[in-house]
Amino acid sequence: EAQVTQNPRYLITVTGKKLTVTCSQNMNHEYMSWYRQDPGLGLRQIYYSMNVEVTDKGDVPEGYKVSRKEKRNFPLILESPSPNQTSLYFCASSLLGLTEAFFGQGTRLTVV
Amino acid sequence: TQLLEQSPQFLSIQEGENLTVYCNSSSVFSSLQWYRQEPGEGPVLLVTVVTGGEVKKLKRLTFQFGDARKDSSLHITAAQPGDTGLYLCAGNPGGTSYGKLTFGQGTILTVHP
């Protein structure tokens, strides 16, 4: 089954404790992207990757890091999480940037 | 950053009514997508429009891309309770920002039986 898998689905952590949210897709897509969703703000793009070893900033990259060492994986790293990063995070992939994006089921992160 | 303004933010209607959701920007987009999202799930693509003036139909849903590619609309005819959800528009600026995707704030639609 074609899918984008995010882990974990739920995470509660403390300020400053480094964390990684994993994202994996099994559709051989070149393009992957991370978003955060906050009430009233829609989805905002954090980082995107057009292919392996190619990443670029979206609209809200501050406080986040990504890497794309393999085509299927695109982890999101929060080196020092802060409470304002409490949000619902989505990973997405597509064959090319403009084709249908397949989204993961989301990771709800709470930073206390 | 290019912005997409979606309106209305909330829409509560009775089954059988028609409705229109608008997505507007002062910037030009090379393409625009509409997604639907249900609680606890990621967004699911409904349609992509790429040509100014383009109209696409998906059963009771009609999507239009403005002639100048700065705005789009989603019209639902005879809404049903199963149409309830969050509707999002998303635009791609193209050019050197090919990989960027900007979303509107979303429209929460509730269709009452």
Side-chain angles (χ1 to χ4, degrees):
Chain A
E1 182 191 350
Q3 59 185 5
V4 177
T5 304
Q6 290 178 232
N7 278 298
R9 290 288 311 274
Y10 302 91
L11 180 59
I12 302 175
T13 190
V14 296
T15 299
K17 186 176 181 184
K18 180 180 178 179
L19 67 93
T20 299
V21 184
T22 63
C23 174
S24 180
Q25 51 94 2
N26 63 0
M27 294 166 280
N28 203 35
H29 286 166
E30 285 87 5
Y31 180 88
M32 297 185 76
S33 186
W34 275 103
Y35 301 86
R36 60 176 291 173
Q37 186 172 31
D38 302 288
L41 296 177
L43 280 91
R44 292 180 292 169
Q45 193 177 43
I46 302 170
Y47 270 95
Y48 62 93
S49 169
M50 301 294 282
N51 214 326
V52 176
E53 302 292 2
V54 180
T55 63
D56 213 341
K57 296 177 181 178
D59 291 323
V60 288
E62 294 78 20
Y64 304 95
K65 282 176 57 176
V66 293
S67 69
R68 188 90 182 273
K69 293 185 171 56
E70 306 167 276
K71 200 171 188 179
R72 62 183 291 125
N73 296 322
F74 191 45
L76 179 70
I77 303 154
L78 284 73
E79 295 268 4
S80 183
S82 62
N84 65 12
Q85 292 178 298
T86 291
S87 187
L88 179 58
Y89 291 86
F90 286 100
C91 177
S93 76
S94 62
L95 191 57
L96 296 169
L98 292 182
T99 57
E100 177 177 3
F102 292 84
F103 283 80
Q105 289 201 289
T107 295
R108 187 165 290 282
L109 172 66
T110 302
V111 184
V112 297
Chain B
T1 302
Q2 294 178 293
L3 296 175
L4 273 171
E5 296 287 337
Q6 231 178 293
S7 62
Q9 275 198 289
F10 302 94
L11 204 47
S12 181
I13 61 171
Q14 293 297 127
E15 182 175 2
E17 292 183 17
N18 301 332
L19 66 110
T20 302
V21 178
Y22 299 94
C23 184
N24 296 301
S25 175
S26 57
S27 305
V28 174
F29 289 95
S30 66
S31 68
L32 201 135
Q33 297 176 326
W34 285 92
Y35 290 83
R36 180 165 171 257
Q37 184 179 15
E38 302 206 34
E41 303 289 332
V44 175
L45 181 71
L46 295 173
V47 79
T48 301
V49 286
V50 297
T51 306
E54 183 175 2
V55 176
K56 280 192 175 178
K57 292 194 174 185
L58 203 68
K59 297 182 182 177
R60 293 177 293 101
L61 278 60
T62 302
F63 305 86
Q64 187 162 7
F65 201 14
D67 291 339
R69 290 187 286 128
K70 291 182 179 181
D71 56 87
S72 181
S73 64
L74 156 61
H75 182 80
I76 301 179
T77 304
Q80 299 175 0
D83 295 327
T84 293
L86 173 66
Y87 290 81
L88 296 155
C89 62
N92 181 279
T96 55
S97 300
Y98 181 79
K100 280 199 167 187
L101 198 60
T102 298
F103 280 81
Q105 313 97 308
T107 296
I108 298 175
L109 170 65
T110 305
V111 183
H112 302 280

